[in-house]
């Protein structure tokens, strides 16, 4: 089944730095979503980008989508310790009716 | 507004025992989902429902059954638990399942299940 693959698997940065994580997928999509999961909690939706969009912003988040390369990136600017979490991309395939989640990027932001 | 509520939060079972996980949502969402999350494997879809009285198999349905008798509730059953079912289980719901923005999913806090 199609699956988003995040890269890197783990990322450690200092507070104030920017964090970039990438997602690659295999087939055509309707949209791509990013979710955050704090330790021991459920996933929380962050941002959705449609297949006809190239870039989207939400607060300190910036998401890009390149459908020709079947890839997306999530940029968190001026990171904070509270951004420490796992981040998952989820793709909505054009020919299916279910989200497919990747394996996630674990982000650690240190003071 | 509670969102998606899962019960219980933790459970330990012996091999062969049965149990039911309950998911309740108060957002009037049509679609509900059960996932399991295992280390290094992301979330895998077990079963889902597109409306009251309907259910469908996901990616890893074997060993599980589900029921959606009421729109707000989605039950996940394990008839004879096995150690391979040790996992964290998440329920989610969404307004719809089209490719548009309304398929954003809302998650519960999870149920941690250990099968000994």
């Amino acid at each position: 089944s199609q699956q988003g693959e995040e890269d890197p698997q783990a990322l450690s940065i200092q507070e104030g730095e920017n964090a970039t994580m990438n997602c690659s997928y295999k087939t055509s999509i309707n949209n791509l979503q990013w979710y955050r999961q704090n330790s021991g909690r459920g996933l929380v939706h962050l941002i959705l980008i449609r297949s006809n969009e190239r870039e989207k912003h939400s607060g300190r988040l910036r998401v890009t989508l390149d459908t020709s390369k079947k890839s997306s990136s999530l940029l968190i600017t001026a990171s904070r310790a509270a951004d420490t979490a796992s981040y998952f991309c989820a793709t909505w395939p054009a020919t299916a009716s279910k989200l497919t989640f990747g394996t996630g990027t674990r982000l650690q932001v240190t003071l | 507004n509670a969102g998606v509520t899962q019960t219980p939060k933790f459970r330990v079972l012996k091999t062969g025992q049965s149990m039911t996980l309950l998911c309740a949502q108060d957002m009037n969402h049509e679609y509900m989902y059960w996932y399991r999350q295992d280390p290094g494997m992301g979330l895998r879809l077990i079963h889902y429902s597109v409306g009251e009285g309907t259910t469908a198999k996901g990616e890893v349905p074997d060993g599980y059954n589900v029921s959606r008798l009421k729109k707000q509730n989605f039950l996940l059953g394990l008839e004879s638990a096995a150690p391979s079912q040790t996992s964290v289980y998440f329920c989610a719901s969404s307004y719809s399942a089209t490719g548009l923005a309304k398929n954003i999913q809302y998650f519960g806090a999870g149920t941690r299940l250990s099968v000994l």
Side-chain angles (χ1 to χ4, degrees):
Chain A
S1 61
Q2 173 179 324
Q3 184 175 32
E5 294 291 338
E6 287 92 338
D7 173 63
Q9 290 186 341
L11 179 62
S12 182
I13 60 174
Q14 291 189 323
E15 200 170 49
E17 295 180 334
N18 295 342
T20 299
M21 50 205 87
N22 305 293
C23 171
S24 60
Y25 56 92
K26 298 176 183 175
T27 65
S28 297
I29 60 172
N30 282 316
N31 68 56
L32 184 145
Q33 303 178 29
W34 286 91
Y35 288 78
R36 183 187 72 225
Q37 183 180 33
N38 291 92
S39 181
R41 307 295 295 273
L43 280 71
V44 175
H45 179 264
L46 293 176
I47 195 165
L48 178 152
I49 186 165
R50 295 187 178 90
S51 59
N52 61 353
E53 297 175 314
R54 292 296 167 259
E55 187 171 313
K56 204 161 182 180
H57 296 256
S58 176
R60 293 184 296 112
L61 305 180
R62 173 178 169 256
V63 169
T64 61
L65 179 65
D66 187 335
T67 53
S68 67
K69 295 181 179 179
K70 292 185 170 60
S71 67
S72 172
S73 67
L74 171 67
L75 168 67
I76 304 174
T77 60
S79 62
R80 306 166 181 168
D83 295 328
T84 294
S86 290
Y87 292 81
F88 294 86
C89 71
T91 53
W92 194 275
T95 56
S97 59
K98 299 177 291 292
L99 275 179
T100 302
F101 288 84
T103 53
T105 292
R106 295 188 311 278
L107 173 65
Q108 177 75 43
V109 182
T110 57
L111 297 172
Chain B
N1 191 344
V4 179
T5 303
Q6 291 183 234
T7 53
K9 289 183 169 51
F10 304 94
R11 186 73 185 267
V12 178
L13 290 179
K14 294 181 180 178
T15 298
Q17 287 185 318
S18 63
M19 78 163 295
T20 300
L21 283 68
L22 172 63
C23 177
Q25 54 95 2
D26 61 2
M27 296 173 283
N28 201 34
H29 285 168
E30 288 292 333
Y31 291 78
M32 297 187 74
Y33 313 84
W34 275 107
Y35 296 90
R36 59 177 290 172
Q37 185 177 34
D38 301 292
M41 300 194 72
L43 273 77
R44 292 183 291 169
L45 183 64
I46 304 171
H47 286 280
Y48 64 101
S49 168
V50 302
E52 181 178 322
T54 70
T55 63
K57 294 180 180 179
E59 184 185 352
V60 288
D62 294 342
Y64 305 95
N65 56 76
V66 288
S67 65
R68 183 106 181 263
L69 300 180
K70 293 182 179 180
K71 185 177 183 179
Q72 64 267 35
N73 295 336
F74 195 28
L75 279 64
L76 178 70
L78 287 73
E79 290 186 346
S80 179
S84 60
Q85 294 178 305
T86 293
S87 187
V88 182
Y89 292 86
F90 287 99
C91 176
S93 69
S94 66
Y95 180 76
S96 75
T98 69
L100 304 176
K102 291 181 178 178
N103 64 10
I104 292 169
Q105 295 190 7
Y106 297 81
F107 283 80
T111 295
R112 282 149 186 80
L113 175 65
S114 292
V115 183
L116 306 177

